[in-house]
Amino acid sequence: MRLDGRIAWITGGGAGIGAAIAHALAAERARVFVTDINPPAAVAVAELIRATGGTAWGIGQDVTQEADWEQVLAEVRRLGGGLHVLVNNAGVTTSGALLEQMEFADWRRALAVNLDGVFLGTRLGIRAMKHNAPPGGSIINVSSVYGLVGIAGAGDYVAAKGGVRLLTKAAALECAQCGYPIRVNSLHPGYVQTPMLEHGLARMVASGTFPDVQTASATIAGLHPMNRLATPEEIARSAVFLASDESSFMTGAELVVDGGYTAR
């Protein structure tokens, strides 16, 4: 088991990619802390992991609040000891507005969750992991293909996810410069079949962009040369790789799992 005995913390772990990552890390014998803005969802995922023989706890967390990070870390230390893997996964979708029409409040919400939350997590992860015995760990920041390329109607989202990409590189260089054996990498999925995507597709249908969800889903799938959407489990397997020693010479890197989306 590649993560036997390690402590992992996944934000936004109550559904979608985060839940799949939590299950995948637990399957590799990590002890998993699942956090989510929706506490019952985090608890439900943790219960499923325990039902299959894993070790997990579910805790409510708002990643935009510094106090929540400290409170969860206190629980991680109390129940698990150290912190070896941190997956900054929590995120929200774009407002869908063009920049000239976008409300500043919508911009701030997207940046607060998708970028500020990753900053707070990365900072806390470095502070915690350097005190492990022995020191070290892996921080995985979930970005997106839209951290690599732009798209109209999602300026708030691409700004945040692009920020995650370069924040990751800065953090990786700082850890290396300080001599901390902490690796920091970003993960860039294409479109993934998750409740968040389903919500976005439904919104496109409601706005008249597509006649129905099936057409919307097929169109989005067609943006990928592989002509399909990813499953959350496919993204989770990539996170396991970054969390494990198999990626021991990777830091400041971008792991792109996008069905060829950015290869065009």
Side-chain angles (χ1 to χ4, degrees), residues 56-68:
W57 297 268
I59 304 174
Q61 180 190 10
D62 180 346
V63 297
T64 68
Q65 301 300 311
E66 289 186 77
D68 278 24

Side-chain angles (χ1 to χ4, degrees), residues 1-8 21 24-30 84-87 129 136-140 181-185 187 235-251 255:
M1 294 298 172
R2 290 178 282 178
L3 301 172
D4 192 14
R6 299 185 194 183
I7 308 300
I21 291 174
L25 297 181
E28 296 291 339
R29 296 281 181 88
H84 306 101
V85 179
L86 174 61
V87 184
M129 291 175 182
S138 173
I139 299 173
I140 303 165
I182 301 169
R183 299 182 298 105
V184 192
N185 294 290
L187 182 56
I235 308 306
R237 287 193 288 271
S238 302
V240 169
F241 168 70
L242 290 176
S244 75
D245 292 338
E246 293 176 6
S247 58
S248 58
F249 199 55
M250 286 180 66
T251 195
L255 184 53

Side-chain angles (χ1 to χ4, degrees), residues 20-52:
I21 291 174
H23 281 282
L25 297 181
E28 296 291 339
R29 296 281 181 88
R31 289 177 287 168
V32 174
F33 287 82
V34 182
T35 69
D36 200 277
I37 190 70
N38 180 357
V43 170
V45 170
E47 288 176 345
L48 282 174
I49 290 172
R50 291 196 298 271
T52 56

Side-chain angles (χ1 to χ4, degrees), residues 23 30 56 68-70 94 131-132 137 143 163 165 170 173 180 212 236 244:
H23 281 282
D68 278 24
W69 283 100
E70 295 298 334
T94 175
H131 293 301
N132 285 337
S143 179
R165 170 178 171 263
L173 292 173
Y180 303 151
D212 52 58
S244 75

Side-chain angles (χ1 to χ4, degrees), residues 193-209:
Q193 190 66 58
T194 64
M196 184 180 290
L197 177 62
E198 291 169 4
H199 175 75
L201 295 177
R203 188 175 60 193
M204 289 185 228
V205 172
S207 69
T209 305

